[in-house]
Amino acid sequence: MLLEADTLVYDNDRNTVTAVGGVQIDYDGNRLVAQRVAYDRNTRKLIATGAVEIVDRDGTKIYSDEIDVTDDFRDGFVNALRVETTDKTYFAAESAERRSGTVTTFNRGIYTACEPCEEKPDKPPIWRIKAQKIIWNGEAKTVRFERARFEMFGFPLAFLPAFEVADPTVKRKSGFLIPSYQGSSKLGYGVQVPYYLALSPTFDATFYPTYYSKQGFLGMAEWRQRFNNGAYDIRIAGIRQQSPEEFDPGTVDSREKFRGMIGTKGEFQINPRWSFGWDVLAQTDKNFSRTYSIDGFNQSVHRSQVYLTGLNDRNYFDLRAYRFEVQERLLDADPRSRSEKQPWVLPSFDYSYTPDEAIAGGELNIDVNAQSLYRRELDRSGWQGSGDSDALVRGTEGWNGRVTAEAEWKRSFIAPGGLMLTPLLAARGDAIGTSYSGLSEAAIADLAGTLGVEDDIRSAYFRSMATAGLEARWPILFSTTSSTHVLEPMGQIFARPDAAYQNRLGIPNEDAQSLVFDATSLFERDKFSGFDRIEGGTRANLGVRYSGAFQNGWGLHGLAGQSYHLAGDNPFASPDLVSAGAYSGLESDRSDYVAMVGLTTPVGLSFSAGGRFDEDSFEMRRTDLTAGYTTRPFSIVGRYSFIEAQAPEEAGDPPAYGFDSDRQEVQLSASARFFENWRVFGSGTYDLEKDVLVARSIGFAYDDECFAYSFTVSETENRDTNEVDRSFGFSISLRTIGDFGTASNSPFASSRL
């Protein structure tokens, strides 16, 4: 023990030692500071008075005017005390008693995790719990409140006879978690009371018993385990629906009584280069996890997959098997249903290799891609689900597979004057196998007849492509005293033969169905999005790029150009099972014009715009405008999007690639913070074509170091039926106590008048 004081008084008659004036005692990691300390050798007790402060070995601070404690700081009694723990939680009481060195009982105590106001220390905190007794068990790591009253801003809100929470220092402890309330017009109102079971430092379990007033008891449990190199979890849920008739008739939800799921996710780092993982969902029907909002598995489209990935410098390896699971209410017999039309991809393989050493003075890239997939049901429905005889064949029934290998070499030369020339050579080969059902073959033949081309259905296809290209860039620098500008004219030319089987239908298109031609893809060598489509013929791309840096951090950049088909068959005007390339802006010899521009500023303002314009009339075909302003107290982002209809204009044109009507939409979101801790936010989406505010929401929130609250109201409106769904939700978070929240959908829907 180390004792420091201004004066020491020894009383041998009473067998006491008294330290007076600036007393400080250090013993076994504990520290006591007071104006006066009297030590009774007979009882082995210290009585400290006058601005007493004790700091124990854990860092917890105790403040009082008088403390009676044993000489080993193990047990004691305190009047009018205040306790501050290391993680900024606070106890106060009229008196307290400590026994066995671990259990502290606060009489008429107060507990909060909110730091006292420096300007007004007597001001009530945002929240606090007052109790007749607060029992803090340092060994069991619990805090028990008896005859407790919960207060907000000094006003009582709830009374609880008794409850117990984990010690503020505990990160994992078994026990009940804060209940949550849920509800919807189909499920009824429900309450969930989770129970957390801490089994070991590396694995645990959580049970989520939930009762819905209309559908009954939902049982759910989650198991989690962590290792040195990764972690996995398993979630199981099930219910016996009491009232399936509450759901809309003719839906999956209304047809099922016993429903359940099992889902698991995992990811492991085998070594610094290799990782392995999975995300798998299995359920009794295709919509259970979405209907009951099973966390982690309630997406409208869930991808179940198993994968192995390797990455080393510029070399990449990826092997995975997966399936997209569409969670929808539609029955499988409904032609609009997408669930059974999703294929099993077993497997998908990607490999990319770039040697570290230069090859013939240039860079060599080798890419390999392979995929094998099986689909049980023909996906013949058009983008609008029309089911017409000439609908696009988005997916064939049966098996198909492909292996692609491609090599590309390029080298850059800088000519006098700054002209940069990059010659390019590329070669590619594909081996494709198919095992179509009779229904798929008939669908392909029907579509070929509609398009006026031949069908060429085989069990195997082999095709190759060679490319010779040249890219020229001439960056020109302009500088002033306050800005720097770079203007860079660019040009590319790629000479290729026509692609094999280009004007006949037969080769499946699974991974190149999405095609968006804009400024970002103008200078791509192959503008198709995947490997199933191959670009042939001779094509040139011309454009100009600009970037400018101005004084005080302002920046401006832009790109504009056009693509030209010079020789051979235009692949974007060639027939395809999904009409990829039609209405893309690339189907004519002169493409549409594409452009983009962006602005950045140091004051939080940003702007970007991109568009595609008709090559003859300069009429707008597609555009995206985004503007935003962000500062610490305020932010707002607006976006305008327009996409022209991608549908036939005249007889004999390809079937609709996308939507058969124009799409025009405005989105706006904003958030404002005021009074430091308060903020309000909102968002809206407006369909200009249908004159419908399809989504809107507004809410407000408060957050500080000990308390957070948010409340949100939102509505969504069907673009076609004008049916409105409303929902609201709120959440409360009390630091060290837990989270509480609720969300419910309105039990009614209204139509716009």
Side-chain angles (χ1 to χ4, degrees), residues 6-193:
D6 294 340
T7 305
L8 283 178
V9 179
Y10 292 86
D11 189 334
N12 293 325
D13 294 335
R14 297 181 179 179
N15 201 19
T16 62
V17 179
T18 303
V20 181
V23 183
Q24 178 173 318
I25 299 175
D26 292 278
Y27 174 72
D28 194 25
N30 301 286
R31 173 178 295 178
L32 183 149
V33 178
Q35 292 298 317
R36 184 178 187 275
V37 176
Y39 175 54
D40 189 323
R41 292 177 174 177
N42 297 320
T43 61
R44 300 177 63 85
K45 284 190 175 183
L46 296 170
I47 298 178
T49 57
V52 182
E53 177 183 340
I54 292 180
V55 182
D56 67 15
R57 68 184 68 185
D58 297 326
T60 300
K61 299 178 181 179
I62 303 173
Y63 303 92
S64 180
D65 289 332
E66 181 178 338
I67 294 180
D68 184 345
V69 65
T70 57
D71 59 2
D72 59 358
F73 292 86
R74 179 178 175 84
D75 302 327
F77 182 83
V78 188
N79 282 316
L81 83 158
R82 182 169 59 89
V83 178
E84 178 183 333
T85 66
T86 54
D87 63 344
K88 298 299 182 181
T89 57
Y90 304 89
F91 296 86
E94 291 184 0
S95 63
E97 184 177 3
R98 189 177 187 184
R99 294 180 179 178
S100 304
T102 59
V103 180
T104 304
T105 301
F106 300 90
N107 300 308
R108 296 188 181 276
I110 299 174
Y111 172 80
T112 184
C114 301
E115 192 171 353
C117 179
E118 295 182 0
E119 298 178 357
K120 299 178 180 179
D122 296 332
K123 180 182 178 181
I126 295 175
W127 67 268
R128 64 186 177 186
I129 299 174
K130 287 185 175 181
Q132 192 73 24
K133 280 189 177 182
I134 302 176
I135 304 172
W136 183 5
N137 192 321
E139 183 176 359
K141 300 295 184 182
T142 60
V143 180
R144 178 179 174 82
F145 300 87
E146 296 182 355
R147 301 185 65 184
R149 184 176 67 187
F150 179 77
E151 294 184 356
M152 292 281 294
F153 300 100
F155 296 98
L157 294 182
F159 173 80
L160 296 172
F163 71 98
E164 191 175 276
V165 298
D167 183 308
T169 62
V170 173
K171 304 302 180 185
R172 302 170 68 254
K173 183 173 178 60
S174 299
F176 286 99
L177 305 179
I178 298 297
S180 63
Y181 295 89
Q182 304 162 358
S184 75
S185 59
K186 313 299 183 184
L187 306 179
Y189 296 100
V191 59
Q192 184 180 93
V193 185

Side-chain angles (χ1 to χ4, degrees), residues 572-593:
F572 303 101
S574 299
D576 180 78
L577 294 182
V578 298
S579 290
Y583 316 104
S584 65
L586 291 165
E587 67 274 14
S588 56
D589 289 343
R590 288 175 50 237
S591 78
D592 289 343
Y593 295 99

Side-chain angles (χ1 to χ4, degrees), residues 262-466:
I262 179 170
T264 175
K265 297 181 180 182
E267 184 171 6
F268 291 87
Q269 195 73 29
I270 301 174
N271 57 41
R273 299 179 181 178
W274 292 91
S275 62
F276 168 75
W278 68 86
D279 181 353
V280 178
L281 169 65
Q283 50 188 354
T284 55
D285 61 84
K286 61 182 180 180
N287 203 42
F288 170 74
S289 296
R290 184 164 178 81
T291 299
Y292 286 92
S293 300
I294 306 300
D295 188 32
F297 299 94
N298 59 349
Q299 309 95 323
S300 60
V301 178
H302 178 270
R303 182 167 73 168
S304 288
Q305 62 177 333
V306 180
Y307 61 87
L308 174 66
T309 300
L311 181 63
N312 180 31
D313 295 330
R314 293 185 293 175
N315 306 321
Y316 176 71
F317 175 100
D318 184 87
L319 177 66
R320 64 186 61 216
Y322 60 90
R323 182 176 189 266
F324 291 101
E325 296 161 324
V326 180
Q327 301 198 69
E328 58 184 2
R329 299 184 303 165
L330 299 173
L331 297 175
D332 292 339
D334 193 314
R336 298 171 298 172
S337 174
R338 298 183 297 154
S339 177
E340 292 301 309
K341 299 171 183 176
Q342 303 305 310
W344 291 89
V345 182
L346 303 169
S348 170
F349 173 70
D350 281 286
Y351 178 72
S352 178
Y353 173 68
T354 301
D356 294 331
E357 301 295 330
I359 305 298
E363 181 183 82
L364 176 67
N365 296 284
I366 298 174
D367 293 296
V368 178
N369 174 267
Q371 70 175 21
S372 174
L373 59 86
Y374 173 78
R375 181 181 285 102
R376 290 190 299 177
E377 183 177 325
L378 174 68
D379 187 358
R380 192 181 183 183
S381 60
W383 291 98
Q384 303 300 312
S386 61
D388 295 335
S389 61
D390 61 346
L392 307 175
V393 183
R394 297 171 58 188
T396 57
E397 185 178 85
W399 171 87
N400 69 77
R402 175 187 42 77
V403 177
T404 298
E406 183 176 41
E408 179 190 73
W409 175 89
K410 59 183 178 181
R411 181 180 179 181
S412 296
F413 300 89
I414 300 178
L419 177 64
M420 179 178 290
L421 299 174
T422 304
L424 175 148
L425 297 174
R428 164 178 169 169
D430 298 280
I432 303 168
T434 65
S435 180
Y436 293 148
S437 67
L439 192 61
S440 294
E441 293 181 358
I444 295 173
D446 286 347
L447 182 59
T450 300
L451 298 177
V453 298
E454 296 181 2
D455 63 275
D456 187 0
I457 300 174
R458 308 183 184 187
S459 60
Y461 301 85
F462 299 94
R463 65 186 183 188
S464 60
M465 178 59 64

